[in-house]
Amino acid sequence: MDGGAPGIDSTLVDGLDAVELSWRYKAVPAAAHGQTAAGYVASGVGLAQLQTPLLTLSAQAMASNVAQMADWCEAKGVLLAPHGKTTMAPQMWREQLVHGAWGITLANASQLRVGHAFGVRRVMLANSLTDPQAVSWLAERQGPDFKVVSWVDSVQTVALQAATLADKPLADKRDSVLDVIVELGSGGGRTGARTVAQAVEIARAVSASAHHRLVGVGGYEGSLAHSAEPGALATVRGYLAGVKELHEQLLAEDLYAQGAETIITAGGSAYFDDVVDVLAGCASDRVDGGRRVDVILRSGAYMVHDDGFYRGISPFARGSHAGKTERPFVSAMHVWARVVSVPEPGLAILDAGKRDMPVDEGMPEPQLLGRELGGPMEVLEGASISAVNDQHAYLRCTPETTVGMGDVVRLGLSHPCTAFDKWTLIPVLADTGNDNALVDLIHTFF
């Protein structure tokens, strides 16, 4: 391991500073072409020298959110493997690892290759590998510097992986053994065994396989609810109780691999407090030869947060737990869009659309209006986005609001997962709204 960040190769991440900016990056103007990413940042430019449409991040907000989540997890006695698919940005993964993350969670084989390319040392693959090429690729590359724990949710998946590995000539028999956890789901949910009994059968199949080690249990509660209403929270907590029951049954049957550190994992960015309430008590240190059990959250959106779905449902905002003292996370992402048409009173058309900003968890929120990018801005009252096309947004304003051609609107966004995938390069401002100096350029790999 290099002397930089734990869990990732900092030399490879730092290499992104040498990337030459060009027409391939819509986030930077033509004046930046030919410069390296680091050189452009060092030139002293700010928001005023950029162009619309534009997604930006706030360095101050991200630093605050990362530190807060790290401190909270440490206080609760749980680990964190943030879901890297939210950003697919190794520079941001490194910040999470520097702040104590256990590893990085990823969702599929292509994301796994990105993690491997940047030297991520420990990965939770929150999915089942059923493509033979993906199974073989992982088996050939896993080792001390690339440890991967993946999921299985059926006996058939276990058999498929075992058959693939049995047919693959590998240099070392240890290469043909995959560390897996059994995923528990729920009726109407996404993946995962539908009952604890089914999950136990899968665990028995894993335990009996020469090509697998059973190292934990887990799943995803976020697909079962979409609000903080009492009924939704009861559904989430009932599901988590099932994960705990599954873990206890596997302990009772001694199905976990001998000598392996055991994982219980759940927790997106909406209900991680409930995960801790229900599951944190299962964690234990290895004492007198006993088994070490770690509870690992996989929250991914907290570093960026938003002005929509997560603002409303994040545990730090909704105050669902007694004795709440945490401050809410701060949204670190905004889109800046320019008025390109004022075709009728009360309607302005902006130059940002579905190709530039997410709409799957709610429309963007008009926040500020100014005459130029990087200039003074005023609160935009009574405005909304009523619709978006591929490259345009419909800004509805009150009759009292004066919106002119070329004016700039700052928009709050909902759902970082579908914001980052639209940008291969994202400018980072020192502190959006207070200091618009450009301090970094984030590269994404979707």
Side-chain angles (χ1 to χ4, degrees):
M1 182 180 297
D2 64 273
I8 195 168
D9 191 326
S10 279
T11 301
L12 295 173
V13 177
D14 287 340
L16 295 172
D17 287 341
V19 170
E20 182 177 310
L21 304 180
S22 71
W23 55 265
R24 292 182 296 135
Y25 302 105
K26 67 178 183 177
V28 293
H33 296 178
Q35 300 185 56
T36 65
Y40 187 58
V41 171
S43 69
V45 299
L47 181 60
Q49 285 73 48
L50 300 176
Q51 63 185 24
T52 62
L54 179 68
L55 174 70
T56 64
L57 298 171
S58 165
Q60 190 282 331
M62 291 192 295
S64 174
N65 293 342
V66 168
Q68 182 177 354
M69 189 65 170
D71 291 345
W72 188 85
C73 288
E74 182 177 10
K76 298 295 183 180
V78 298
L79 301 178
L80 178 64
H83 212 320
K85 59 93 178 171
T86 299
T87 64
M88 288 306 295
Q91 292 154 290
M92 296 174 70
W93 297 350
R94 177 168 62 181
E95 288 305 305
Q96 294 168 312
L97 290 163
V98 164
H99 281 80
W102 171 91
I104 297 296
T105 298
L106 296 170
N108 58 34
S110 64
Q111 294 175 9
L112 196 61
R113 293 197 297 270
V114 175
H116 181 265
F118 282 93
V120 176
R121 305 300 200 266
R122 187 154 54 184
V123 173
M124 173 88 68
L125 185 69
N127 213 339
S128 294
L129 288 178
T130 57
D131 184 290
Q133 292 191 58
V135 174
S136 296
W137 182 92
L138 174 57
E140 291 167 358
R141 286 161 180 80
Q142 65 180 357
D145 291 330
F146 187 53
K147 297 181 179 179
V148 178
V149 176
S150 61
W151 295 11
V152 292
D153 73 347
S154 72
V155 172
Q156 290 80 6
T157 301
V158 177
L160 183 154
Q161 293 179 348
T164 300
L165 295 172
D167 294 338
K168 184 74 174 176
L170 297 165
D172 189 321
K173 288 186 177 180
R174 291 175 298 178
D175 295 340
S176 66
V177 178
L178 302 180
D179 284 352
V180 298
I181 70 169
V182 173
E183 180 189 2
L184 180 67
S186 181
R190 195 167 61 190
T191 53
R194 280 351 196 194
T195 68
V196 171
Q198 290 173 352
V200 172
E201 288 300 317
I202 298 165
R204 291 170 181 158
V206 172
S207 183
S209 169
H211 296 284
H212 294 85
R213 288 202 319 161
L214 181 62
V215 299
V217 299
Y220 178 53
E221 75 290 341
S223 64
L224 305 178
H226 208 68
S227 76
E229 297 298 321
L233 296 178
T235 297
V236 166
R237 295 178 73 89
Y239 164 75
L240 294 169
V243 174
K244 180 179 180 180
E245 179 186 349
L246 173 60
H247 167 66
E248 291 172 344
Q249 287 203 30
L250 301 191
L251 280 177
E253 288 195 30
D254 196 25
L255 292 176
Y256 288 126
Q258 295 300 314
E261 295 183 0
T262 303
I263 293 168
I264 305 174
T265 179
S269 296
Y271 306 109
F272 56 79
D273 59 334
D274 296 290
V275 173
V276 168
D277 286 347
V278 177
L279 296 179
C282 297
S284 64
D285 291 327
R286 184 181 286 114
V287 179
D288 296 330
R291 179 177 299 279
R292 178 183 175 88
V293 179
D294 287 316
V295 174
I296 303 180
L297 303 179
R298 303 189 312 279
S299 311
Y302 72 93
M303 183 174 183
V304 179
H305 198 50
D306 70 7
D307 283 310
F309 176 69
Y310 287 113
R311 179 178 64 185
I313 202 170
S314 167
F316 294 170
R318 57 184 163 85
S320 64
H321 46 297
K324 171 186 175 293
T325 60
E326 297 87 356
R327 66 185 185 277
F329 291 130
V330 180
S331 178
M333 65 175 182
H334 298 87
V335 154
W336 309 80
R338 200 176 296 273
V339 175
V340 295
S341 179
V342 186
E344 61 190 61
L347 174 64
I349 305 300
L350 308 181
D351 65 353
K354 285 186 280 188
R355 301 299 177 97
D356 311 300
M357 53 190 181
V359 297
D360 58 309
E361 290 287 359
M363 288 293 180
E365 174 186 272
Q367 296 176 334
L368 301 175
L369 174 67
R371 302 309 171 199
E372 58 186 18
L373 188 64
M377 305 197 84
E378 297 179 353
V379 175
L380 187 52
E381 300 281 5
S384 64
I385 300 296
S386 62
V388 293
N389 300 142
D390 283 355
Q391 312 292 171
H392 298 93
Y394 294 67
L395 175 69
R396 301 287 178 176
C397 300
T398 64
E400 296 78 25
T401 304
T402 301
V403 179
M405 295 290 292
D407 285 356
V408 174
V409 177
R410 192 187 83 180
L411 299 160
L413 307 176
S414 181
H415 201 200
C417 296
T418 48
F420 275 64
D421 65 345
K422 296 167 176 55
W423 297 84
T424 53
L425 191 73
I426 305 174
V428 181
L429 307 179
D431 184 5
T432 305
N434 297 306
D435 183 352
N436 287 330
L438 181 67
V439 296
D440 203 356
L441 291 169
I442 295 295
H443 299 256
T444 68
F445 297 88
F446 285 91

